[in-house]
Amino acid sequence: MSRTPVLRAAVVGTGHRAQLFTRGLAERPGHVVAALCDPSPTRMAFHNRLLAERGAPAATAWEPDRFTDLLAEEGIDEVVVTTVDAEHDRYIVPALKAGCRVVTEKPMTVDAGRCSRILDTVRETGNSLTVAFNYRFNPVHEKVRALLAGGAIGEVLSVHFEWLLDVRHGADYFRRWHREKRHSGGLMVHKSSHHFDLVNWWLADEPREAFGYGRLGFYGREAGERHGLRRDYDRAHGAEPAADDPFALDLAADATLRALYLDAERDDGYLRDRNVFDGPVTIEDDMSVLVRYARGATMTYHLTAYSPWEGYRVMFNGSAGRLELEVEVEESPWQPPLSRITSAVGAVHGDTAAEHAGGARLTLRPLWQPPEDVPLAVAHEAHGGGDPRMLDALFGPVGPAAPADTGAAAHPTATERDGALALAVGLAANRSFETGRPVRTDELIAG
């Protein structure tokens, strides 16, 4: 009886999001987390505890500067990249050249130069790169794609998309490394790449041009003082003015946050609990974008990062009717005024349901016919159920596959081309914010 070969994996970047992949690989037959790579030994030790909890062997800890040695000496077959966004290419490129299969968290990268470097390496090596766009695997989003692809509203002529981040989840981007555009590309790249990939996938089309306006109007020192929201502290831990600030994050109150960030400060000096109303903040918190697609459809898109409730609305206008999606999932219809935020899980990070989680409604409005509510299977955990289904598609099921749940295996994961197209919209929007003119995507991403 032949044995299933075991693929040796390296997880690069061992912060909060990486837990999904460390656990997911440890739980799946045919995979072993052989190596961890991060500037912080403390964070890597935390991930080794995750492996031990699942009965998996400890992974070897490596420093980032020795990544190419890691690939060779550990005999790595697959690499998962979950580092700061601007560092993705630093690991994707050598891993592809070493013959590894690579999975990277979204966004694929943060600028045109790094994107070109990745695309060139994929072409040169012929090796596989997958971008972890988990929202594709949300059953609600799969239903939307099926209806549009089946011609439920005919030719799609326009899309109206509004995404609201509430004052827990939205604020979290302004207290950590994401607040500097050089690290994250701004929310147009780090967050909205999810949404741009969804629209590209829903329409089976490619973006050609974007125009937009963006501003920092709520977070940051100037806006915080203007609105009377700013407290005088640099970071929340140990700061008396942060004690009753609803925008402060209490690292010490959560075991995971303490282990991954507060205890790890001695390794790399990274502060996870900065004041959202202090500097430096170089990203926007309110963004409006108009996008034109290759076949002529347009999208109006708005991202708000300081809303009382969290969710999104997407409306498709077609030659045969209209499709309307309104969602309050993992996201919530309101946030109570807690004295302090005590966890980066759930409402803050968007990984699990908030205390007041809502639901979803999908309405089909054909021309000349009554509207129809489309039945939906709504999950409130793990990004609307997308995370576990994405892991199944990437690495196989934990156990025997459930015959009824074929969605994850049936639709394709996102390639490097998909990652580049999602990035192109965000980069074009950022350029438009600066120049005040429409920007063609091919000015930034070739091909």
Side-chain angles (χ1 to χ4, degrees):
M1 186 176 186
S2 61
R3 287 187 174 184
T4 302
V6 175
L7 298 176
R8 293 175 59 80
V11 176
V12 188
T14 54
H16 184 278
R17 182 61 177 168
Q19 295 175 87
L20 174 75
F21 295 98
T22 298
R23 291 192 185 103
L25 287 163
E27 292 167 352
R28 283 167 168 78
H31 302 270
V32 61
V33 180
L36 300 167
C37 183
D38 194 278
S40 169
T42 304
R43 283 194 290 272
M44 290 190 284
F46 176 88
H47 279 256
N48 264 327
R49 291 196 292 275
L50 295 180
L51 293 173
E53 289 168 4
R54 282 150 185 80
T60 307
W62 289 79
E63 297 177 355
D65 288 344
R66 297 197 62 210
F67 179 65
T68 53
D69 295 333
L70 177 164
L71 296 175
E73 294 182 27
E74 297 287 352
I76 297 299
D77 303 295
E78 51 190 2
V79 173
V80 178
V81 180
T82 60
T83 64
V84 170
D85 300 341
E87 294 285 297
H88 285 182
D89 67 305
R90 177 183 177 185
Y91 304 101
I92 291 171
V93 168
L96 289 171
K97 289 182 177 179
C100 300
R101 177 209 182 189
V102 183
V103 175
T104 183
E105 255 300 328
K106 61 81 200 168
M108 187 171 75
T109 187
V110 298
D111 61 38
R114 289 177 170 94
C115 182
S116 294
R117 183 173 178 236
I118 291 170
L119 294 178
D120 289 346
T121 305
V122 171
R123 282 191 290 265
E124 291 165 5
T125 63
N127 290 328
S128 171
L129 174 62
T130 302
V131 184
F133 283 124
N134 54 357
Y135 279 4
R136 287 187 175 207
F137 295 88
N138 182 324
V140 172
H141 300 156
E142 290 179 340
K143 186 68 174 179
V144 169
R145 176 169 165 99
L147 287 168
L148 296 176
I153 62 169
E155 179 188 356
V156 179
L157 303 175
S158 66
V159 183
H160 306 280
F161 197 157
E162 178 186 30
W163 197 287
L164 301 162
L165 294 168
D166 67 35
V167 284
R168 289 193 203 175
H169 189 183
D172 205 43
Y173 295 108
F174 294 83
R175 62 171 68 95
R176 48 193 174 131
W177 56 263
H178 307 73
R179 64 199 248 148
E180 295 187 63
K181 193 171 284 191
R182 65 191 178 96
H183 294 315
S184 67
L187 290 178
M188 281 285 97
V189 170
H190 177 82
K191 182 63 179 175
S192 298
S193 62
H194 261 320
H195 315 149
F196 300 146
D197 176 69
L198 272 180
V199 176
N200 296 345
W201 180 62
W202 279 332
L203 300 184
D205 203 354
E206 298 187 357
R208 287 292 180 261
E209 189 175 57
F211 172 77
Y213 295 105
R215 66 179 297 206
L216 181 64
F218 185 82
Y219 301 104
R221 187 184 187 104
E222 180 182 343
E225 291 178 344
R226 186 170 71 249
H227 300 139
L229 296 171
R230 185 179 180 276
R231 309 286 183 89
D232 189 18
Y233 63 91
D234 178 54
R235 52 91 55 95
H237 183 66
E240 185 61 30
D244 62 348
D245 184 359
F247 290 94
L249 179 66
D250 190 349
L251 293 174
D254 182 271
T256 298
L257 288 176
R258 176 183 282 278
L260 283 175
Y261 300 108
L262 191 60
D263 293 347
E265 288 178 10
R266 61 179 179 266
D267 298 335
D268 58 9
Y270 172 57
L271 302 181
R272 174 66 176 77
D273 61 344
R274 299 291 299 277
N275 185 347
V276 302
F277 298 115
D278 208 349
V281 178
T282 58
I283 66 173
E284 300 83 9
D285 57 27
D286 193 292
M287 295 138 277
S288 299
V289 182
L290 176 64
V291 183
R292 180 175 59 83
Y293 287 83
R295 294 201 298 270
T298 58
M299 174 179 66
T300 54
Y301 173 85
H302 196 105
L303 176 65
T304 302
Y306 52 90
S307 171
W309 70 282
E310 182 146 344
Y312 51 104
R313 303 182 180 101
V314 193
M315 315 296 174
F316 303 86
N317 295 307
S319 60
R322 178 177 168 94
L323 186 64
E324 301 173 348
L325 174 63
E326 299 184 67
V327 182
E328 296 169 4
V329 187
E330 78 234 295
E331 295 103 4
S332 63
W334 69 286
Q335 288 299 339
L338 300 179
S339 60
R340 292 186 76 176
I341 296 170
T342 58
S343 176
V345 179
V348 173
H349 231 278
D351 290 339
T352 57
E355 181 181 357
H356 306 283
R361 180 176 180 179
L362 183 61
T363 305
L364 177 62
R365 300 181 182 274
L367 295 180
W368 316 116
Q369 297 178 44
E372 171 191 346
D373 285 335
V374 180
L376 292 175
V378 178
H380 290 293
E381 75 285 350
H383 291 102
D387 281 345
R389 300 174 89 236
M390 179 184 72
L391 290 175
D392 286 349
L394 290 173
F395 306 116
V398 174
D405 186 18
T406 58
H411 80 63
T413 54
T415 66
E416 71 285 344
R417 175 69 177 169
D418 299 317
L421 290 172
L423 174 65
V425 182
L427 293 182
N430 280 340
R431 175 84 55 93
S432 184
F433 296 166
E434 297 170 359
T435 64
R437 67 172 180 84
V439 177
R440 289 185 55 86
T441 57
D442 61 10
E443 294 179 27
L444 303 167
I445 307 295

